[in-house]
Amino acid sequence: AIEKGDLFTSGEIKNEQNEQVSQKGKVIDLLLPVVVLIVICIVALLYVGGMWSDGLNFIDAFGNTDATVGLPWGGIIALVITIAYMVLRKVVTFKEAMECIPKGFNAMVPAILILTMATALKNMTSVLGTKYYVGDLMMGSAEALDMFLPAVIFVVACILAFATGTSWGTFGIL
């Protein structure tokens, strides 16, 4: 606005990477893929948990599921549905949609690495039997510190969270 003196630019808008931005998009184009992703991931988790194959109820299927299988399937199915939706609405062409997939994957690499490292850390603490070690350690000292047990549990949780680097792992151990 300072350079051109125009607050209302018309025509094609370009982002920081000089990519063409479509003017055809609507708010539903942002919300629908997120809703589809959530619904498909929940259905995939229930399917992997055995809701339809083993006849389990909703709660038991969620308790029996494996997120490392269900969530990637949900993501892939939601991606295919979103691409089909965007191409049918003519927001993007099929070629543009296919060009966005590697860019999106590159943007997700840091998050994927964090989740991979967190899963590896969780598996390592499980294999080492950390919950049994901490449980036995606390069992021996709990009787002597029964008045301070909430404070002791808090301190142990802080040490575990710092040592393992994961709050979810700390919840599981405690």
Side-chain angles (χ1 to χ4, degrees):
I2 291 172
E3 292 173 9
K4 296 182 181 178
D6 181 16
L7 293 176
F8 304 100
T9 304
S10 61
E12 294 182 356
I13 300 173
K14 304 240 179 197
N15 64 10
E16 291 99 24
Q17 291 137 357
N18 293 327
E19 294 176 348
Q20 185 176 352
V21 178
S22 174
Q23 297 292 327
K24 300 175 189 174
K26 296 182 179 177
V27 175
I28 191 71
D29 297 332
L30 294 172
L31 296 178
L32 188 66
V34 174
V35 171
V36 167
L37 175 67
I38 291 169
V39 170
I40 296 294
C41 282
I42 290 172
V43 170
L45 288 171
L46 292 172
Y47 178 78
V48 171
M51 186 167 181
W52 291 282
S53 61
D54 299 337
L56 298 176
N57 64 21
F58 186 82
I59 302 297
D60 292 336
F62 259 117
N64 194 35
T65 195
D66 184 5
T68 59
V69 175
L71 293 181
W73 274 109
I76 291 169
I77 293 168
L79 175 66
V80 170
I81 291 171
T82 300
I83 289 171
Y85 172 75
M86 294 294 180
V87 170
L88 289 174
R89 273 223 345 100
K90 296 183 180 171
V91 175
V92 294
T93 64
F94 183 75
K95 182 180 178 186
E96 291 171 336
M98 292 299 107
E99 290 172 354
C100 289
I101 291 174
K103 292 177 187 176
F105 182 78
N106 288 340
M108 293 303 298
V109 166
I112 292 169
L113 286 175
I114 289 170
L115 290 174
T116 302
M117 298 297 177
T119 303
L121 188 60
K122 179 244 178 212
N123 291 339
M124 182 187 68
T125 57
S126 295
V127 168
L128 289 174
T130 307
K131 67 179 177 180
Y132 302 113
Y133 174 74
V134 173
D136 292 343
L137 189 66
M138 290 302 297
M139 189 71 70
S141 63
E143 294 174 6
L145 300 170
D146 62 344
M147 295 297 290
F148 301 105
L149 195 57
V152 170
I153 291 174
F154 175 75
V155 170
V156 169
C158 290
I159 293 169
L160 284 173
F162 180 76
T164 62
T166 170
S167 58
W168 285 105
T170 303
F171 298 151
I173 291 170
L174 291 177

